Amino acid sequence: RLATCLFEAAGQFEGRLPELFCGFDRSEYENPVPYPTSCSPHASAAASPVHLMRTLQRMAPSLPTGELWMAPVLPDGFGSFEAGNVQLGRCRLFLSADRDELTVEGLGPAVTLHRNARSPRTEFLDARRPGPRHTSGTRDGN
């Protein structure tokens, strides 16, 4: 719902998302209400649809391990998605997705495509978690 509404708002601002706008109930105001002194376009707002599309694609690259996870979850009525010239390391990808199909072209032979969502990377959190580093023995080693 958030993705759909943000893209609809971008259309109302001719693709130039401002840093701030008001979203009232559509029964009261059909379109987003511009804030008088907000910059349009605004850099962080302009980047949000790109990041949102990456999130909807569940695109999770790992260049050190040579892996790419993708499992798109496009909202109902969203249609299809295509992006060309997407840089991933030294590769230039063409991505195409709809609710039922994913196409990734241009992956180098050293990159493995996983057609599922990447599991959470909890090992990074575990390494930083405070506390004892061992589970047996006493503090003095006896």
PDB file of all heavy atoms in Angstrom, residues 61 63 86-93 107 111:
ATOM      1  N   PRO A  61      22.195  -8.042  -3.232  1.00  0.00           N
ATOM      2  CA  PRO A  61      23.465  -8.518  -3.777  1.00  0.00           C
ATOM      3  C   PRO A  61      24.520  -8.676  -2.691  1.00  0.00           C
ATOM      4  O   PRO A  61      24.509  -7.974  -1.682  1.00  0.00           O
ATOM      5  CB  PRO A  61      23.863  -7.394  -4.745  1.00  0.00           C
ATOM      6  CG  PRO A  61      23.212  -6.172  -4.195  1.00  0.00           C
ATOM      7  CD  PRO A  61      21.960  -6.629  -3.503  1.00  0.00           C
ATOM      8  N   LEU A  63      28.467  -8.899  -3.273  1.00  0.00           N
ATOM      9  CA  LEU A  63      29.616  -8.979  -4.179  1.00  0.00           C
ATOM     10  C   LEU A  63      30.763  -9.811  -3.612  1.00  0.00           C
ATOM     11  O   LEU A  63      31.383 -10.570  -4.363  1.00  0.00           O
ATOM     12  CB  LEU A  63      30.095  -7.580  -4.554  1.00  0.00           C
ATOM     13  CG  LEU A  63      29.132  -6.798  -5.440  1.00  0.00           C
ATOM     14  CD1 LEU A  63      29.662  -5.397  -5.692  1.00  0.00           C
ATOM     15  CD2 LEU A  63      28.884  -7.514  -6.749  1.00  0.00           C
ATOM     16  N   VAL A  86      21.671  -1.857 -15.027  1.00  0.00           N
ATOM     17  CA  VAL A  86      21.816  -1.878 -13.573  1.00  0.00           C
ATOM     18  C   VAL A  86      23.193  -2.454 -13.260  1.00  0.00           C
ATOM     19  O   VAL A  86      23.472  -3.601 -13.585  1.00  0.00           O
ATOM     20  CB  VAL A  86      20.717  -2.737 -12.909  1.00  0.00           C
ATOM     21  CG1 VAL A  86      20.923  -2.829 -11.407  1.00  0.00           C
ATOM     22  CG2 VAL A  86      19.345  -2.181 -13.253  1.00  0.00           C
ATOM     23  N   GLN A  87      24.036  -1.656 -12.633  1.00  0.00           N
ATOM     24  CA  GLN A  87      25.400  -2.100 -12.369  1.00  0.00           C
ATOM     25  C   GLN A  87      25.460  -2.955 -11.113  1.00  0.00           C
ATOM     26  O   GLN A  87      24.933  -2.595 -10.063  1.00  0.00           O
ATOM     27  CB  GLN A  87      26.344  -0.913 -12.214  1.00  0.00           C
ATOM     28  CG  GLN A  87      27.785  -1.333 -12.107  1.00  0.00           C
ATOM     29  CD  GLN A  87      28.737  -0.165 -12.208  1.00  0.00           C
ATOM     30  OE1 GLN A  87      28.338   0.971 -12.423  1.00  0.00           O
ATOM     31  NE2 GLN A  87      30.004  -0.444 -12.046  1.00  0.00           N
ATOM     32  N   LEU A  88      26.098  -4.102 -11.242  1.00  0.00           N
ATOM     33  CA  LEU A  88      26.360  -5.000 -10.128  1.00  0.00           C
ATOM     34  C   LEU A  88      27.804  -5.449 -10.273  1.00  0.00           C
ATOM     35  O   LEU A  88      28.113  -6.333 -11.088  1.00  0.00           O
ATOM     36  CB  LEU A  88      25.414  -6.203 -10.132  1.00  0.00           C
ATOM     37  CG  LEU A  88      25.634  -7.208  -9.005  1.00  0.00           C
ATOM     38  CD1 LEU A  88      25.317  -6.581  -7.656  1.00  0.00           C
ATOM     39  CD2 LEU A  88      24.791  -8.448  -9.230  1.00  0.00           C
ATOM     40  N   GLY A  89      28.700  -4.819  -9.536  1.00  0.00           N
ATOM     41  CA  GLY A  89      30.122  -5.094  -9.704  1.00  0.00           C
ATOM     42  C   GLY A  89      30.548  -4.697 -11.113  1.00  0.00           C
ATOM     43  O   GLY A  89      30.327  -3.581 -11.539  1.00  0.00           O
ATOM     44  N   ARG A  90      31.083  -5.652 -11.865  1.00  0.00           N
ATOM     45  CA  ARG A  90      31.491  -5.386 -13.247  1.00  0.00           C
ATOM     46  C   ARG A  90      30.412  -5.754 -14.258  1.00  0.00           C
ATOM     47  O   ARG A  90      30.622  -5.628 -15.456  1.00  0.00           O
ATOM     48  CB  ARG A  90      32.774  -6.143 -13.552  1.00  0.00           C
ATOM     49  CG  ARG A  90      33.936  -5.622 -12.748  1.00  0.00           C
ATOM     50  CD  ARG A  90      35.224  -6.281 -13.160  1.00  0.00           C
ATOM     51  NE  ARG A  90      36.322  -5.637 -12.465  1.00  0.00           N
ATOM     52  CZ  ARG A  90      37.348  -6.262 -11.977  1.00  0.00           C
ATOM     53  NH1 ARG A  90      37.455  -7.566 -12.103  1.00  0.00           N
ATOM     54  NH2 ARG A  90      38.309  -5.607 -11.364  1.00  0.00           N
ATOM     55  N   CYS A  91      29.276  -6.241 -13.770  1.00  0.00           N
ATOM     56  CA  CYS A  91      28.180  -6.651 -14.650  1.00  0.00           C
ATOM     57  C   CYS A  91      27.207  -5.497 -14.857  1.00  0.00           C
ATOM     58  O   CYS A  91      27.031  -4.651 -13.998  1.00  0.00           O
ATOM     59  CB  CYS A  91      27.406  -7.828 -14.046  1.00  0.00           C
ATOM     60  SG  CYS A  91      28.387  -9.289 -13.678  1.00  0.00           S
ATOM     61  N   ARG A  92      26.567  -5.500 -16.018  1.00  0.00           N
ATOM     62  CA  ARG A  92      25.453  -4.594 -16.308  1.00  0.00           C
ATOM     63  C   ARG A  92      24.243  -5.478 -16.544  1.00  0.00           C
ATOM     64  O   ARG A  92      24.229  -6.293 -17.471  1.00  0.00           O
ATOM     65  CB  ARG A  92      25.729  -3.743 -17.548  1.00  0.00           C
ATOM     66  CG  ARG A  92      26.910  -2.812 -17.402  1.00  0.00           C
ATOM     67  CD  ARG A  92      26.481  -1.585 -16.682  1.00  0.00           C
ATOM     68  NE  ARG A  92      27.629  -0.690 -16.541  1.00  0.00           N
ATOM     69  CZ  ARG A  92      27.551   0.480 -15.981  1.00  0.00           C
ATOM     70  NH1 ARG A  92      26.400   0.916 -15.529  1.00  0.00           N
ATOM     71  NH2 ARG A  92      28.609   1.227 -15.863  1.00  0.00           N
ATOM     72  N   LEU A  93      23.232  -5.328 -15.701  1.00  0.00           N
ATOM     73  CA  LEU A  93      22.093  -6.228 -15.721  1.00  0.00           C
ATOM     74  C   LEU A  93      20.883  -5.599 -16.398  1.00  0.00           C
ATOM     75  O   LEU A  93      20.706  -4.386 -16.386  1.00  0.00           O
ATOM     76  CB  LEU A  93      21.685  -6.615 -14.299  1.00  0.00           C
ATOM     77  CG  LEU A  93      22.760  -7.173 -13.386  1.00  0.00           C
ATOM     78  CD1 LEU A  93      22.175  -7.477 -12.020  1.00  0.00           C
ATOM     79  CD2 LEU A  93      23.407  -8.396 -13.992  1.00  0.00           C
ATOM     80  N   LEU A 107      24.294 -11.377 -15.931  1.00  0.00           N
ATOM     81  CA  LEU A 107      25.103 -11.820 -14.791  1.00  0.00           C
ATOM     82  C   LEU A 107      26.365 -12.508 -15.306  1.00  0.00           C
ATOM     83  O   LEU A 107      26.311 -13.322 -16.223  1.00  0.00           O
ATOM     84  CB  LEU A 107      24.341 -12.821 -13.925  1.00  0.00           C
ATOM     85  CG  LEU A 107      23.386 -12.261 -12.894  1.00  0.00           C
ATOM     86  CD1 LEU A 107      22.687 -13.393 -12.153  1.00  0.00           C
ATOM     87  CD2 LEU A 107      24.075 -11.348 -11.927  1.00  0.00           C
ATOM     88  N   VAL A 111      28.741 -15.024 -10.672  1.00  0.00           N
ATOM     89  CA  VAL A 111      27.647 -14.585  -9.791  1.00  0.00           C
ATOM     90  C   VAL A 111      26.531 -15.614  -9.835  1.00  0.00           C
ATOM     91  O   VAL A 111      26.054 -15.995 -10.899  1.00  0.00           O
ATOM     92  CB  VAL A 111      27.108 -13.199 -10.211  1.00  0.00           C
ATOM     93  CG1 VAL A 111      25.969 -12.775  -9.302  1.00  0.00           C
ATOM     94  CG2 VAL A 111      28.224 -12.160 -10.196  1.00  0.00           C
TER      95      VAL A 111
END
